[in-house]
Every structure is written in C-alpha cells, then in structure tokens.
Amino acid sequence: IGTVLADTAIWTDLQRIVVGGELAEAGDVFLAPMRDTVTGRPMLSGADISLVPSRLGERTEALGALALAMDAFGQHYSTKEVS
C-alpha cells in the first residue's frame, strides 16, 4: 500500500494522505510502515507529505461516496455541510 501511495504522491504532488477504515483503526501498526515507504522514496525525500488517520471514523467511506456523487453532479462537497 505504501508503494502505491508513494507513486500517487509523486504523480499528483500530494501534501496529505488520509487513511480511513480498518487501516486507520490499526494505528501505527499499518500507518508507520506506509509513512516510511512514502518518505523513503528518493523523489519524495524532501517533500512535506503527512500520512494521517481519518477523523471521520465509521463515516469515512459513506462521506467519500457522497463526495464522489456530489462531484458527478457538479456540486462541491464540504465536510462543514455534513458534519
């Protein structure tokens, strides 16, 4: 997973990666190796990328699906509207 996140960060110039679901619930057991893989890439060694667990808890997947649906219909999504 860390390799895919690192590749995505290289191609998209990410500044923050938010991990949700069961991986986020596991905490640093999964997040630390992913963070090490991302920051260990030579092209990302100087990048300021944070890898953090989602603060949305069990609603993460549902809110992500809602954001995609709203985007498909031309509406902008904000967590302030649904919190």
Side-chain angles (χ1 to χ4, degrees), residues 1-33:
I1 296 172
T3 302
V4 173
L5 293 175
D7 290 345
T8 304
I10 290 169
W11 289 103
T12 61
D13 194 28
L14 292 177
Q15 294 177 352
R16 174 175 290 186
I17 299 170
V18 180
V19 179
E22 294 175 359
L23 290 177
E25 291 173 14
D28 275 342
V29 170
F30 283 105
L31 294 181

Side-chain angles (χ1 to χ4, degrees), residues 19-69:
V19 179
E22 294 175 359
L23 290 177
E25 291 173 14
D28 275 342
V29 170
F30 283 105
L31 294 181
M34 286 191 283
R35 196 176 292 120
D36 292 343
T37 301
V38 170
T39 58
R41 283 293 183 88
M43 291 183 73
L44 298 173
S45 61
D48 186 23
I49 300 173
S50 60
L51 195 142
V52 298
S54 171
R55 293 186 285 162
L56 298 175
E58 296 178 7
R59 301 184 314 159
T60 302
E61 291 86 1
L63 290 175
L66 174 63
L68 288 172

Side-chain angles (χ1 to χ4, degrees), residues 67-79:
L68 288 172
M70 290 178 73
D71 188 49
F73 289 100
Q75 296 181 1
H76 297 287
Y77 172 78
S78 168
T79 55

